[in-house]
Amino acid sequence: MATTVKLNTGAEMPILGLGTWKSPPGKVTEAVKAAISAGYRHIDGAFVYQNEAEVGVGVETMIKDGVVKREDLFIVSKLWCTFHEKPIVRQACEKTLSDLKLDYLDLYLIHWPMGFQAGTELFPSDSAGEMISDNTHFLETWEGMEELVDAGLVKAIGVSNFNKEQIEAILNKPGLKYKPANNQVECHPYLTQEKLINYCQSQGITVTAYSPLGSPDRPWAKPEDPSLLEDPNIKAIAEKHKKTSAQVLIRFPIQRNVIVIPKSITPQRIQENFQVFDFELSEEEMKTILGFNRNWRVCPMQWSTKHKDYPFNAEF
């Protein structure tokens, strides 16, 4: 079983990584160290998570202690929406690199296709609570991303939360220098993303699944929301394999050749989430799990629905 997925740059991206969204600054350093100790070589982060300095301490410690070399690690970050103007893309990337104490990123993604008004507010909103646009278009942001590759600050560039039409716009851009290497999207049995994954993979773009466990710790969770980890159908498959529901939910994307980044700050769970290469879901089980799709989103980004580049009004 391949533990990496090959990017269109030729680089190998580990198929399993540690997610760090909602990992508190006080806990994420230890989480990163526990993950690297458990065998993880891929760490996913973002400027907007506001914990990159602490992620950096964890990475730096493990390199200093001789546990790993920098080149063994695959570090991902994301350009936040308030830095979409082409002239400020580089300063956002440099801030991330300085927080992480790194001289390059393995992969840098445009976090959302929507640009927000530049400034210190991460979520600049109007009186109605809607995000204020910066009137950029992500094609100019992409040119700023391409410049980061040429400057040696990032090895590969990609996107996140882009729909098919938005990816097509980049692929068809006159003068395109680098194709996106990856599209990171929400993906789990209640949002299986079959059409988008098929499209991306057909274009040589890898897919990373975020919120693979349904992000039960999301701040806006409601009691009546469906719970993947408690789903009796998933529990039944897990019991059959003597695995946990989480392990089945992590194995599911791996068998679709989709990279997956479960988040945890608990060392025991971080280890458990990595124990997914010693069993295989049958074709029948994969079909069954795909059948649980209900187009339910953990991250609908509901405060940006009126933005001109809001991605989720399209079918996929």
Side-chain angles (χ1 to χ4, degrees), residues 7-311:
L7 301 182
N8 57 24
T9 59
E12 300 280 347
M13 179 168 179
I15 201 162
L16 181 53
L18 178 75
T20 60
W21 174 43
K22 303 178 298 338
S23 300
K27 299 268 172 71
V28 77
T29 297
E30 288 309 314
V32 167
K33 286 158 64 178
I36 293 172
S37 298
Y40 289 71
R41 293 297 175 262
H42 164 191
I43 310 290
D44 178 87
F47 175 80
V48 78
Y49 303 163
Q50 298 182 69
N51 58 9
E52 289 196 308
E54 293 79 9
V55 168
V57 173
V59 169
E60 181 186 42
T61 305
M62 297 308 266
I63 292 172
K64 270 194 178 145
D65 292 352
V67 180
V68 279
K69 295 192 189 74
R70 169 64 185 99
E71 55 270 28
D72 301 331
L73 295 172
F74 195 98
I75 311 285
V76 183
S77 186
K78 308 176 197 87
L79 175 80
W80 184 240
C81 307
T82 52
F83 299 96
H84 276 216
E85 294 167 32
K86 189 176 164 184
I88 59 176
V89 169
R90 181 164 178 157
Q91 73 187 54
C93 181
E94 286 175 339
K95 169 72 171 125
T96 281
L97 286 170
S98 114
D99 282 350
L100 289 170
K101 297 187 257 307
L102 296 176
D103 46 21
Y104 71 90
L105 293 168
D106 294 277
L107 177 64
Y108 196 47
L109 309 175
I110 301 182
H111 206 147
W112 290 86
M114 306 173 285
F116 297 166
Q117 177 180 285
T120 51
E121 282 288 310
L122 293 175
F123 292 92
S125 59
D126 61 20
S127 54
E130 280 282 329
M131 293 299 114
I132 303 168
S133 172
D134 61 359
N135 299 313
T136 57
H137 190 277
F138 56 79
L139 290 179
E140 66 169 277
T141 312
W142 189 253
E143 292 176 3
M145 297 287 281
E146 291 177 325
E147 288 175 1
L148 301 176
V149 178
D150 291 335
L153 298 178
V154 306
K155 303 269 192 206
I157 49 176
V159 295
S160 179
N161 300 298
F162 276 51
N163 64 34
K164 173 179 184 257
E165 195 182 319
Q166 292 169 329
I167 292 168
E168 275 179 333
I170 294 180
L171 294 178
N172 296 329
K173 178 187 176 296
L176 180 72
K177 200 164 183 186
Y178 303 113
K179 278 174 64 168
N182 179 263
N183 185 18
Q184 182 177 129
V185 296
E186 179 178 343
C187 185
H188 46 69
Y190 298 158
L191 185 71
T192 52
Q193 299 274 28
E194 280 161 276
K195 287 183 172 171
L196 185 58
I197 289 171
N198 288 340
Y199 170 72
C200 289
Q201 291 179 339
S202 78
Q203 298 300 311
I205 299 168
T206 59
V207 177
T208 298
Y210 74 72
S211 300
L213 313 178
S215 287
D217 58 346
R218 64 193 178 282
W220 50 83
K222 296 188 197 70
E224 68 272 17
D225 283 347
S227 165
L228 275 164
L229 288 165
E230 298 302 323
D231 187 311
N233 299 302
I234 289 164
K235 278 184 166 167
I237 293 171
E239 277 163 22
K240 208 176 116 187
H241 289 277
K242 299 189 167 52
K243 288 284 177 181
T244 63
S245 290
Q247 287 167 326
V248 167
L249 292 168
I250 294 164
R251 181 72 199 179
F252 170 61
I254 289 175
Q255 285 186 214
R256 304 172 75 191
N257 211 32
V258 167
I259 299 140
V260 60
I261 47 171
K263 170 258 169 183
S264 177
I265 51 169
T266 314
Q268 186 205 333
R269 285 211 191 116
I270 289 170
Q271 288 174 354
E272 178 193 294
N273 290 348
F274 201 73
Q275 306 302 312
V276 291
F277 298 103
D278 57 356
F279 78 108
E280 198 164 337
L281 299 167
S282 69
E283 206 174 319
E284 207 48 49
E285 288 168 329
M286 288 295 291
K287 272 202 194 101
T288 300
I289 298 171
L290 283 167
F292 300 153
N293 183 52
R294 46 174 99 174
N295 295 319
W296 176 76
R297 282 185 192 277
V298 163
C299 280
M301 198 66 156
Q302 59 274 36
W303 43 86
S304 307
T305 49
K306 295 190 175 72
H307 194 290
K308 69 179 171 68
D309 297 314
Y310 181 73

